[in-house]
Amino acid sequence: MQYSPLVKRIAGEGADAWLIHYAAREALERGEDVILLSVGDPDLDTPAPVLERAIERLRAGDTHYTPATGRQHLREAIAAAHGARTGQIVESANVIFLAGAQNALFVTSLCIAGPGDEVIALEPLYPSYPATLEVSGARMVRVAAPAARGFRVDLAALEAAITPRTRALFFATPNNPSGVILSEADLAVIGAPAFLVGGGR
């Protein structure tokens, strides 16, 4: 079977991480003594109250499609929580709810980037981020947050990576996998319009 060229963009290093994970899971199922340190599947079960609530809603007939952007009350709650935490007012119309970060990155990259564009990402990064960010045809530009700096980003290096082709800056805070949280001061600098257009700090 001949696959779409898009398939090649979601293979490579990111897929390798999952191959290691599947091999480890198979070893566990064979009874081998394995400590699973691959992808981020938590080693704890879903809390009982969450399970009970889900079962209750299913039995009540809540088994049909939801809006593609997520349920309105959930979007309102997320917007309110964001506003309370950050002081930045966000309307529920600006919130969508997706099934996991990978799906969100995949959809976002297809919506905002294309061939010839660049997406900046802080490194270290989760193994499958490159595939989800480059599926659009854009090139991922890595900016190191090295161990020597405590895995903290060099804002000058980040600013230098911004070009007219930059369509987005991707970062997770806390970082996955380092766990480092960007400081409020760093976030304020990154969020400043002058910084994002490469105009300096």
Side-chain angles (χ1 to χ4, degrees):
M1 173 182 271
Q2 182 174 353
Y3 293 101
S4 161
L6 288 177
V7 173
K8 294 180 181 178
R9 297 180 190 166
I10 57 175
E13 293 178 8
D16 291 344
W18 284 99
L19 294 176
I20 293 168
H21 176 74
Y22 296 142
R25 293 292 306 174
E26 289 172 3
L28 278 173
E29 290 170 6
R30 290 192 300 266
E32 296 180 28
D33 185 14
V34 173
I35 299 174
L36 194 60
L37 298 174
S38 54
V39 299
D41 184 10
D43 61 350
L44 46 95
D45 294 329
T46 302
V50 175
L51 290 176
E52 292 304 320
R53 180 65 172 159
I55 292 168
E56 176 187 315
R57 294 306 306 152
L58 291 170
R59 286 182 173 152
D62 192 358
T63 59
H64 301 280
Y65 287 160
T66 59
T69 53
R71 297 189 179 198
Q72 182 62 24
H73 68 275
L74 175 60
R75 294 165 61 209
E76 289 171 358
I78 292 171
H82 179 80
R85 184 173 181 180
T86 67
Q88 180 186 43
I89 303 303
V90 174
E91 302 294 333
S92 63
N94 301 114
V95 176
I96 64 170
F97 194 81
L98 295 167
Q102 297 303 299
N103 288 345
L105 286 174
F106 189 88
V107 170
T108 301
S109 66
L110 288 175
C111 288
I112 66 171
D117 292 334
E118 295 176 349
V119 176
I120 297 173
L122 303 185
E123 193 172 40
L125 44 76
Y126 189 69
S128 62
Y129 286 164
T132 54
L133 293 169
E134 293 182 336
V135 66
S136 65
R139 182 176 74 90
M140 193 177 77
V141 177
R142 300 174 189 233
V143 175
R149 292 181 53 87
F151 296 109
R152 298 204 168 274
V153 64
D154 180 339
L155 292 177
L158 180 58
E159 184 177 14
I162 298 171
T163 75
R165 294 183 299 280
T166 302
R167 291 289 294 150
L169 165 60
F170 169 77
F171 60 88
T173 182
N175 176 274
N176 186 357
S178 74
V180 168
I181 298 173
L182 289 174
S183 69
E184 288 188 20
D186 283 353
L187 289 171
V189 171
I190 292 170
F195 183 88
L196 295 176
V197 298
R201 286 177 281 137

